[in-house]
Amino acid sequence: MTDTYPLAVLGWASDFLRQLTLDEISTLTPCRVSAVHRSRIEALGAAGPLSLVPPPGLSTAEIAVGDWALCDGTRLIRLLTRRSTLARRAAGTGADRQLIAANVDTLFITTSCNADFNPARIERYLALARAAEVTPVIVLTKADESPDPALWQAQAEAIDRRVAVVTLDARAPGERLSDWARTGQTVALLGSSGVGKTTLANALTGEAQATAPIRADDAKGRHTTTGRHLRPLAAGGWLIDTPGMRELRLSGAEAGIAATFDDLDALARDCRFHDCTHQTEPGCAVQAAIAAGAVDPARLARWQKLQREDRINSETLAEAHARDRAFGRLTRGALRDKARLRGGNEQAGGPAEAGAATRAFGPSGNRGAAAVREAQTLPAGSDRPESRSRFPEGPRQRQKVLRNSTRTGVGWSG
């Protein structure tokens, strides 16, 4: 890339300028990160491309493609505050986030008109975009290979009526995406391997990166894009192309999940109990909507799955260790319960086991849905036996909870 670009064309705006001091304005050069390598940064400035080394104390893992920074020509001095940040929970057992892109205006959620289409995955990307306050657009590729692309478009529109859906042939998108790719605007392409992201990127930029065919049996592809790069669009904007994602683990996306499932979030506020799990509690507005046919039970399950995942993935390491210790105490209590049940003794454990379960899942007390669930396990008119476990559902249900518990954060894969 040898062309030079005015800062305004690169996406420079007044909110970035306001972050500079008078001394920085006179001595340093604004630039935009176009690629991140292990020990150096590629960037674009008004005078052309730059190759920079990061300052001491700043890892390249903390720098995202699309970032605005100040440099002295050979060194990156500091990053400017981002307008938006797309990030996911990094792989492994740590609590780190992996940066995907920065200062993005629009996210093209790319899938195809074949077996790759997955509503749960699209909802995950929608939550990611909304958590970052980025405009999502669903892009359906390979319309030319589908006998009925309108059917796929209808399915995509049904996921969220507020989101634009564009169906196209990735080799010839025409002007279908130009409204989001004007001068100074930045879009990012996200999606799994094989959906045609590289083909679409080539069409939008006029470049010719290599592509690869997909498997015929499941429409899955393999990586052809191996890194993230900021590339100029023919329409005047900028594209951040990313490798295909096998897994997207949400972290810190509570607001994005609530915005994506705002219908369920609103219903949940009308439930009788503030801690309603939307399963069997009386006065559950969500279950009432399901019974009336207004809510798909599968959508409720996807919402709850994303909430659980985000809660776990957003934990610090200390919080994760504390949760694991509580889970260990629950496991030991459940094993003791199992031994008693096998011996024919249905009576739950004593105070030690009860205390562990209570600490792991919260006190049942006399308030909320947890108290109702506990009361449902007692004979009518009876008081809580002194020897009864304080675990809300009793030892048999404790075994069920243990089997269904998830110890680590998960993300969509496949």
Side-chain angles (χ1 to χ4, degrees), residues 54-113:
L58 183 66
S59 165
T60 54
E62 302 173 79
I63 304 172
V65 173
D67 266 329
W68 278 98
L70 299 177
C71 71
D72 63 3
T74 59
R75 292 182 302 129
L76 188 152
I77 303 302
R78 75 176 181 93
L79 296 176
L80 301 183
T81 301
R82 299 168 180 135
R83 275 181 172 177
S84 61
T85 305
L86 294 172
R88 62 177 175 176
R89 175 75 176 260
T93 58
D96 297 332
R97 289 204 312 164
Q98 180 186 31
L99 296 174
I100 299 172
N103 298 312
V104 173
D105 300 301
T106 305
L107 177 62
F108 288 161
I109 301 169
T110 313
T111 185
S112 47
C113 299

Side-chain angles (χ1 to χ4, degrees), residues 109-123 125-126 138-142 146 149-160 165-167 192-195 214 218-220 302 412 414:
I109 301 169
T110 313
T111 185
S112 47
C113 299
N114 56 28
D116 176 81
F117 185 88
N118 186 316
R121 186 197 316 155
I122 293 173
E123 288 170 342
Y125 283 121
L126 289 174
I138 300 173
V139 179
L140 295 176
T141 62
K142 306 190 180 182
S146 171
L151 177 63
W152 297 103
Q153 170 136 356
Q155 291 184 58
E157 290 173 343
I159 295 173
D160 194 322
V165 178
V166 179
T167 306
S192 54
S193 297
V195 299
I214 62 172
D218 59 5
K220 293 186 181 297
R302 296 196 299 267
W412 170 86

